[in-house]
Amino acid sequence: MESHSMTITWKILKSDELEERDRNLVQAAMKATDGSHSPYSGFRVGAAVLLDDGTVVTGSNQENAAYPSGLCAERTALFSAGHLHPDKAVTAMAIAARNAGGFTAQPITPCGACRQVMAETEQTGGRPIRLLLYGTDGTMLIDGGTSAILPFCFGAGSME
């Protein structure tokens, strides 16, 4: 029998500890919450992706009365980036969320479906995505790509 383990490493940074490009990306995600259509949950999520040429593409969650018909902010941003800039790799993504009380104190993490799309976006772009998860108590920085938050991911190679 073989035994294996995984280690996930992340940092929690205050705003003034973030590099300028990361701070700008987090601010874009925060601003993207303004475009959220969330009349049912009241939970506004914004995402901002940074492309390898410096372009920033944003998205927000879009709810629908038929709940499965809505879409998360992360996938909205990634799909927009893929459509508008198909030849550009995503290098980083920031996510922010707020409710009636304001931005969340603790960072929120992407759902499983968004993690899967992030993983395939990485495979297509050939590079890991730095993840910045904003909370008023600090921004979680996960370097090294989605394998840290979605181990054993299903990908194109899984079908070979």
Side-chain angles (χ1 to χ4, degrees):
M1 174 171 95
E2 289 184 42
S3 179
H4 301 268
S5 66
M6 289 184 189
T7 302
I8 298 171
T9 304
W10 67 89
K11 298 175 185 171
I12 302 291
L13 304 167
K14 298 294 182 192
S15 181
D16 63 348
E17 295 175 312
L18 291 170
E19 295 179 23
E20 183 179 2
R21 69 177 175 154
D22 291 342
R23 193 169 36 255
N24 291 340
L25 195 62
V26 167
Q27 289 171 350
M30 293 170 71
K31 175 73 175 147
T33 64
D34 291 341
S36 169
H37 177 71
S38 49
Y40 307 103
S41 71
F43 193 65
R44 299 172 161 274
V45 181
V49 296
L50 177 66
L51 305 181
D52 59 7
D53 69 350
T55 300
V56 174
V57 178
T58 61
S60 61
N61 61 319
Q62 302 296 309
E63 293 180 352
N64 190 282
Y67 284 121
S69 299
L71 194 60
C72 298
E74 299 91 330
R75 284 181 281 160
T76 301
L78 288 169
F79 293 152
S80 292
H83 170 71
L84 296 170
H85 307 278
D87 298 329
K88 303 295 179 202
V90 174
T91 62
M93 173 184 271
I95 303 165
R98 63 185 167 102
N99 55 31
F103 284 98
T104 59
Q106 295 300 310
I108 64 157
T109 59
C111 74
C114 289
R115 292 175 195 215
Q116 180 65 39
V117 170
M118 290 169 63
E120 189 150 337
T121 300
E122 281 184 344
Q123 292 168 5
T124 301
R127 60 193 310 171
I129 296 173
R130 295 176 74 244
L131 194 57
L132 297 145
L133 308 175
Y134 174 77
T136 59
D137 288 349
T139 299
M140 181 184 291
L141 170 62
I142 303 170
D143 259 328
T146 58
S147 62
I149 62 170
L150 184 65
F152 307 112
C153 131
F154 183 84
S158 302
M159 295 183 282
E160 295 175 358

